[in-house]
Amino acid sequence: MAQGLIEALTQALQRLPGVGPKSARRMAFHLLVRDRDGGRRLGQVLLEAMERIGRCSQCRNLTEQDICAVCSSPRRDHSLLCVVESPADVQAIDQASGFQGLYYVLHGHLSPLDGIGPEELELDRLTARLGSGEVHELILATNPTVEGEATAHYIAELARERGIRSTRIAHGVPMGGDLEFVDGGTLRQALLGRRDYGA
Amino acid sequence: MAQGLIEALTQALQRLPGVGPKSARRMAFHLLVRDRDGGRRLGQVLLEAMERIGRCSQCRNLTEQDICAVCSSPRRDHSLLCVVESPADVQAIDQASGFQGLYYVLHGHLSPLDGIGPEELELDRLTARLGSGEVHELILATNPTVEGEATAHYIAELARERGIRSTRIAHGVPMGGDLEFVDGGTLRQALLGRRDYGA
Ligand SMILES: [Zn+2]
Ligand SMILES: [Zn+2]
């Protein structure tokens, strides 16, 4: 049936975040009418990626290897460990900041109401990592949300018990932002975190 | 390489219309972290659709068959032929309007500046169809654009030469629209196309 496969494609495209029925239909027709090569390429890469990309055995980030390129790099500072919630955070920090330490990806945050506790986040893996003696500073880069803060707090305690220094990324007014459009909570954090000018 | 396949997936997703680097990355991570089944399903359906969906030998609409479900339906009025620019137009008209005739999909419009003439649109196929004696009315449902109007004009002439009546879909104020936000060209068409009230 004609409707069958086109409809199936339209449905499957809606598994993509932010894609509703209308844009899914537009995408399906675009590929079928104008870009079959693009459609074939996307199909192949999707199957290959879903099959071959797993999690790094050390940092839990997405990788095709057992140990990812970041963890296995000798040029990285292995005494600095930056904890983030998602692989997207690793990419954002690595592309923007020149950070040269290692990462640890939680794949989420503590959220008791959703039944996500330390076990669901496999925090025993992180605990074992902290016990190895290699990490000297743990940078808490979870999101500035209630759950992210609670998760940072919990993990800082794990570090403290092992005598490891933990730091939290700074919160404040975004660069290039206009003060009047910054929300109150951020402004409060920006004022609390103020530093000597010119220091 | 970890970056390799994730990057390849992010690139491939940008072949979808309306998807830039940022949303492509978000889509890739979403599938890899949260919805591998969805990613696999989309990959399979894409490959199958690109492989198996072709064009109906009668109406040129997308279909998995040689002749599509609309063209082969005995319940359709085969004397009414509605000419549209794209498969999306067929779907829109068929879902919304209760139209029970057949379609003919041009897959574009005449556009001399882009080198798209009657041959590029394979209008000889439509001419042959008009010569079969089956079509009594040709409904011109090309888009209300300069190119769509020129295309409608050209095809109406083909019909006229064969003694077939051709009609144009009405242009006017969209239902539920607010007059003050309707553009001037549409308002002019709406006034020119006015009818007796209550008739
Ligand atoms: Zn790693
Ligand atoms: Zn057909």
Side-chain angles (χ1 to χ4, degrees):
Chain A
M1 301 291 287
Q3 297 304 75
L5 201 42
I6 296 174
E7 188 53 36
L9 178 57
T10 305
Q11 293 282 343
L13 283 163
Q14 290 178 59
R15 300 288 281 260
L16 296 170
V19 177
K22 277 200 174 176
S23 35
R25 188 165 301 146
R26 194 161 57 93
M27 287 171 173
F29 283 130
H30 174 85
L31 294 177
L32 287 166
V33 175
R34 272 186 251 282
D35 191 14
R36 298 242 170 182
D37 282 345
R40 257 177 240 116
R41 169 81 185 144
L42 178 55
Q44 281 154 358
V45 174
L46 270 169
L47 292 180
E48 203 182 332
M50 298 303 128
E51 176 70 27
R52 285 179 43 200
I53 294 176
R55 292 185 182 179
C56 172
S57 62
Q58 289 196 10
C59 72
R60 314 292 289 144
N61 197 7
L62 297 170
T63 177
E64 295 165 61
Q65 261 77 51
D66 173 44
I67 297 180
C68 78
V70 169
C71 287
S72 57
S73 166
R75 286 176 304 158
R76 291 269 178 169
D77 182 349
H78 287 231
S79 72
L80 259 181
L81 191 63
C82 179
V83 178
V84 297
E85 294 187 21
S86 76
D89 298 335
V90 172
Q91 204 166 46
I93 293 175
D94 226 54
Q95 283 180 356
S97 70
F99 174 72
Q100 283 295 318
L102 302 185
Y103 296 95
Y104 190 89
V105 182
L106 298 171
H107 290 285
H109 46 236
L110 295 175
S111 182
L113 291 178
D114 301 313
I116 300 173
E119 280 171 42
E120 283 68 28
L121 288 187
E122 302 181 301
L123 286 187
D124 50 336
R125 285 167 167 272
L126 177 57
T127 308
R129 182 76 174 273
L130 294 178
S132 71
E134 196 180 44
V135 180
H136 296 154
E137 180 182 346
L138 190 68
I139 302 175
L140 302 160
T142 51
N143 289 331
T145 60
V146 172
E147 294 88 354
E149 293 297 345
T151 307
H153 187 82
Y154 187 96
I155 294 174
E157 188 58 27
L158 294 178
R160 201 190 57 75
E161 288 166 4
R162 280 151 195 86
I164 296 168
R165 176 187 179 211
S166 59
T167 55
R168 182 86 172 105
I169 51 167
H171 299 332
V173 177
M175 299 297 291
D178 189 331
L179 269 198
E180 72 176 300
F181 299 122
V182 173
D183 68 287
T186 300
L187 277 180
R188 267 190 299 281
Q189 290 297 327
L191 284 166
L192 284 171
R194 68 190 182 278
R195 298 186 181 187
D196 285 325
Y197 192 65
Chain B
M1 300 293 287
Q3 298 304 73
L5 201 42
I6 295 175
E7 188 52 36
L9 178 56
T10 305
Q11 293 281 344
L13 283 163
Q14 291 178 60
R15 300 288 281 259
L16 296 170
V19 176
K22 278 202 174 174
S23 36
R25 190 164 300 147
R26 195 161 57 93
M27 288 171 170
F29 283 129
H30 174 84
L31 294 176
L32 287 167
V33 175
R34 275 186 248 283
D35 192 13
R36 297 240 170 183
D37 281 347
R40 257 177 240 116
R41 169 82 185 142
L42 178 55
Q44 281 154 358
V45 173
L46 270 170
L47 292 181
E48 203 183 332
M50 297 304 128
E51 176 70 28
R52 286 179 43 202
I53 295 176
R55 291 184 182 180
C56 172
S57 62
Q58 290 196 10
C59 72
R60 312 292 289 144
N61 197 7
L62 297 170
T63 177
E64 295 165 62
Q65 260 78 50
D66 173 45
I67 297 179
C68 78
V70 169
C71 288
S72 57
S73 167
R75 286 175 305 161
R76 292 268 179 169
D77 181 350
H78 287 230
S79 73
L80 257 182
L81 190 64
C82 180
V83 178
V84 296
E85 295 188 20
S86 77
D89 297 335
V90 171
Q91 203 167 46
I93 293 175
D94 226 54
Q95 283 179 357
S97 69
F99 175 72
Q100 283 295 317
L102 301 185
Y103 296 96
Y104 191 89
V105 182
L106 298 171
H107 291 284
H109 46 236
L110 294 175
S111 181
L113 290 179
D114 301 313
I116 301 173
E119 280 171 42
E120 284 67 29
L121 288 187
E122 302 180 301
L123 286 186
D124 49 337
R125 285 166 168 271
L126 176 58
T127 307
R129 181 79 174 272
L130 295 177
S132 71
E134 196 180 45
V135 179
H136 296 154
E137 180 183 346
L138 190 68
I139 302 175
L140 302 160
T142 52
N143 289 330
T145 59
V146 173
E147 293 87 355
E149 293 297 344
T151 307
H153 186 81
Y154 187 95
I155 294 174
E157 187 59 27
L158 295 178
R160 201 189 57 75
E161 288 167 3
R162 280 152 196 85
I164 297 170
R165 176 189 179 208
S166 60
T167 54
R168 182 84 172 109
I169 51 167
H171 299 331
V173 178
M175 299 296 291
D178 190 330
L179 268 199
E180 72 176 300
F181 299 122
V182 173
D183 69 286
T186 301
L187 276 180
R188 267 191 298 281
Q189 290 297 327
L191 284 166
L192 285 171
R194 68 189 182 279
R195 298 186 181 187
D196 284 325
Y197 193 66

